[in-house]
Amino acid sequence: MEIQPIGTIHTAFTEKFGIPRQSMIVKAAKGVIHFEPPYDQAEYFKGIEEFSHLWILWHFSEQKGRPTKATVRPPRLGGNVRVGVFASRSPYRPNQIAMSSVKLDAVHTDESGKVSLEISGVDMLDGTPIFDVKPYIKTDIHEDAKSGFVDAVDWTQLDVEISDELMQQVPEYLRDQLIEVLAQDPRPRTQTDVNRMYGMRFGDFDIHFKVNTGILKVIKITSHGHD
Amino acid sequence: MEIQPIGTIHTAFTEKFGIPRQSMIVKAAKGVIHFEPPYDQAEYFKGIEEFSHLWILWHFSEQKGRPTKATVRPPRLGGNVRVGVFASRSPYRPNQIAMSSVKLDAVHTDESGKVSLEISGVDMLDGTPIFDVKPYIKTDIHEDAKSGFVDAVDWTQLDVEISDELMQQVPEYLRDQLIEVLAQDPRPRTQTDVNRMYGMRFGDFDIHFKVNTGILKVIKITSHGHD
């Protein structure tokens, strides 16, 4: 079956490195979905503001052309235990459709009548094609759910150290997001080199940091492309 | 983007009439997913038995060729109030991908090594193409979710009357499902004619019933095609 994007999401995640590993892990991570005509018209969204959460179906567009694997190594298991692709939410799957539950913050209509949705808890790369928006409903909640290896291992949060001076370089609306994203530990799970300087792109910035014994220290922030 | 079914689900819902209006509303409603090669191999499902619930992405295949509408009339609102298609889980949407959360009851491997998944809480027509299976994880739970018109109106359950004699005609493994499905009131929301005899196909059977003041009475059960 042929499916077509209905819109595109814009986020501060301008590269894969640093993207939260599930939706709603970084509640402050914001996004705005803009829609293609005719799906940008208010009629299509009538009543959506009554829902607090939405499901977004989107394209794992970074995986384009990569083969499906039978097993994957989830970051939550440290990147060295294999589980079946259908026992994971990995992007390496036959149909590259992702699903994220997000919070609906606002429905905007611009002067020409085009609708956009402001959401938070996003885990999508900037520019990701969107296939569908569906309301999150009560029957989606299974409080008794057991979620295998995802239950078994907690994410370890890092303490984030960043000087006021460095923080001044980042626009105010991005600051909470940045700290939450860094606290999630964006490093690949297999890397623990305390001397290594990591660089993460965030919005138009490159965030340079080191990690040692549970503390992530931001060393430098530069505009992207200028070191 | 082109997407391809990875398998097919088999359920007792051999026609659209009577299918639960969301997944997990009829917890007893069973289904079995069979997979296409190479996705039928055990490796693809390694670890899946540790999850109690799954997400199934599937094709609203009954909607083939029908145009998308900007607004739809959800059955929960009695079928006469319009909401935007993106504020509903209606099948009349640009990309005909449905998502259902279901309970994983068992993982079967047959003598030739092919895997099938036994699930419950299904809301899919028999023969529906499946696009993806993903584990249900804790970050999918939003207990504080407000779900608009879906919260506003409760489904009214019906009391189901069916004689022992009639029930004997239905194989034992289908009986609980049948009663739960009928209790959900399979009638179109706009119909309340107490004299009308309804016919619902269920598995290989035609279930004939009438509804009056909250009671659904099964009048006759016939093998499909024989009255």
Side-chain angles (χ1 to χ4, degrees):
Chain A
M1 179 173 73
E2 181 67 22
I3 58 175
Q4 296 285 350
I6 59 165
T8 306
I9 191 165
H10 297 287
T11 72
F13 303 111
T14 39
E15 67 168 8
K16 257 182 92 179
F17 187 51
I19 298 183
R21 290 183 173 88
Q22 292 298 335
S23 59
M24 291 304 270
I25 287 182
V26 177
K27 292 201 167 53
K30 296 268 187 188
V32 177
I33 307 176
H34 294 280
F35 295 91
E36 299 293 331
Y39 311 123
D40 57 354
Q41 296 304 299
E43 218 184 348
Y44 281 85
F45 300 91
K46 186 174 184 243
I48 203 168
E49 65 286 348
E50 293 177 31
F51 294 86
S52 61
H53 293 72
L54 302 175
W55 285 105
I56 312 295
L57 299 186
W58 50 279
H59 187 189
F60 282 123
S61 46
E62 281 296 283
Q63 304 306 324
K64 213 177 286 178
R66 297 204 200 177
T68 304
K69 300 174 180 182
T71 59
V72 294
R73 295 177 298 174
R76 191 178 292 250
L77 292 175
N80 45 31
V81 178
R82 290 199 168 271
V83 304
V85 69
F86 297 126
S88 87
R89 300 274 276 252
S90 163
Y92 298 94
R93 52 203 320 119
N95 291 309
Q96 291 166 342
I97 302 168
M99 44 182 275
S100 299
S101 58
V102 297
K103 198 161 171 304
L104 175 60
D105 293 325
V107 181
H108 296 291
T109 311
D110 75 9
E111 55 288 353
S112 66
K114 282 173 166 294
V115 171
S116 59
L117 300 182
E118 195 184 321
I119 59 181
S120 54
V122 305
D123 57 346
M124 300 87 150
L125 193 68
D126 185 45
T128 291
I130 303 299
F131 290 129
D132 205 355
V133 170
K134 300 178 195 276
Y136 183 100
I137 59 178
K138 286 278 196 273
T139 48
D140 296 332
I141 300 175
H142 306 299
E143 291 177 40
D144 57 333
K146 274 186 248 166
S147 40
F149 69 84
V150 183
D151 281 352
V153 187
D154 275 334
W155 291 118
T156 312
Q157 289 239 357
L158 300 175
D159 287 326
V160 177
E161 281 185 15
I162 177 167
S163 69
D164 288 350
E165 197 182 351
L166 283 174
M167 203 45 139
Q168 294 301 326
Q169 296 181 237
V170 179
E172 206 172 330
Y173 76 96
L174 284 176
R175 290 177 192 169
D176 287 350
Q177 291 190 56
L178 176 60
I179 289 174
E180 279 200 48
V181 166
L182 292 173
Q184 295 300 321
D185 194 354
R187 292 176 302 165
R189 280 296 175 243
T190 45
Q191 293 195 15
T192 52
D193 182 351
V194 297
N195 295 312
R196 177 162 171 184
M197 175 90 94
Y198 295 91
M200 178 185 90
R201 205 174 155 195
F202 188 74
D204 294 329
F205 302 94
D206 286 315
I207 315 294
H208 304 268
F209 62 89
K210 290 187 173 189
V211 182
N212 195 355
T213 57
I215 297 167
L216 183 151
K217 191 174 163 65
V218 178
I219 310 292
K220 195 169 59 167
I221 295 180
T222 53
S223 286
H224 181 64
H226 303 85
D227 249 343
Chain B
M1 179 173 73
E2 180 67 22
I3 58 175
Q4 296 284 350
I6 60 166
T8 306
I9 191 166
H10 297 287
T11 72
F13 302 112
T14 38
E15 66 168 8
K16 260 182 90 179
F17 188 52
I19 297 182
R21 290 182 172 88
Q22 291 297 336
S23 58
M24 293 303 271
I25 288 183
V26 176
K27 292 202 167 53
K30 297 268 187 187
V32 177
I33 307 176
H34 294 281
F35 294 91
E36 298 294 328
Y39 311 123
D40 56 354
Q41 297 303 301
E43 220 183 347
Y44 281 86
F45 300 91
K46 188 175 181 242
I48 204 168
E49 65 287 347
E50 292 177 30
F51 294 87
S52 61
H53 293 73
L54 302 175
W55 285 107
I56 312 294
L57 299 186
W58 50 279
H59 187 190
F60 282 124
S61 46
E62 281 296 284
Q63 304 307 324
K64 211 176 288 177
R66 297 202 198 178
T68 305
K69 300 171 179 182
T71 59
V72 294
R73 295 177 298 174
R76 193 181 291 250
L77 291 176
N80 44 32
V81 178
R82 290 199 169 271
V83 304
V85 69
F86 297 127
S88 87
R89 300 274 275 254
S90 163
Y92 298 93
R93 50 202 322 118
N95 292 309
Q96 292 165 342
I97 301 169
M99 44 181 276
S100 300
S101 58
V102 298
K103 198 161 170 300
L104 175 60
D105 292 325
V107 181
H108 297 291
T109 310
D110 74 9
E111 57 286 355
S112 66
K114 281 172 167 295
V115 171
S116 59
L117 300 181
E118 195 183 320
I119 59 181
S120 54
V122 305
D123 57 346
M124 300 89 150
L125 192 68
D126 185 45
T128 291
I130 303 299
F131 291 128
D132 205 356
V133 170
K134 300 179 195 275
Y136 184 98
I137 60 180
K138 286 279 195 273
T139 47
D140 296 333
I141 301 176
H142 306 299
E143 291 177 37
D144 56 332
K146 274 186 249 168
S147 39
F149 68 82
V150 183
D151 281 352
V153 186
D154 276 333
W155 291 119
T156 311
Q157 290 238 357
L158 300 175
D159 288 326
V160 176
E161 280 186 14
I162 177 168
S163 68
D164 288 350
E165 196 182 354
L166 283 174
M167 203 46 138
Q168 294 300 326
Q169 295 181 238
V170 178
E172 207 171 331
Y173 76 97
L174 284 176
R175 290 177 193 170
D176 287 350
Q177 291 190 55
L178 176 60
I179 289 174
E180 278 201 48
V181 166
L182 292 173
Q184 294 301 321
D185 194 352
R187 293 175 302 167
R189 281 297 175 241
T190 45
Q191 293 196 13
T192 52
D193 181 352
V194 298
N195 295 312
R196 176 159 170 186
M197 175 90 94
Y198 294 91
M200 177 185 90
R201 204 173 154 195
F202 188 73
D204 294 330
F205 302 93
D206 285 315
I207 315 294
H208 305 270
F209 62 90
K210 290 186 174 190
V211 182
N212 195 355
T213 58
I215 297 167
L216 183 152
K217 190 175 164 65
V218 178
I219 309 291
K220 193 168 64 167
I221 295 180
T222 53
S223 286
H224 180 64
H226 305 85
D227 250 343

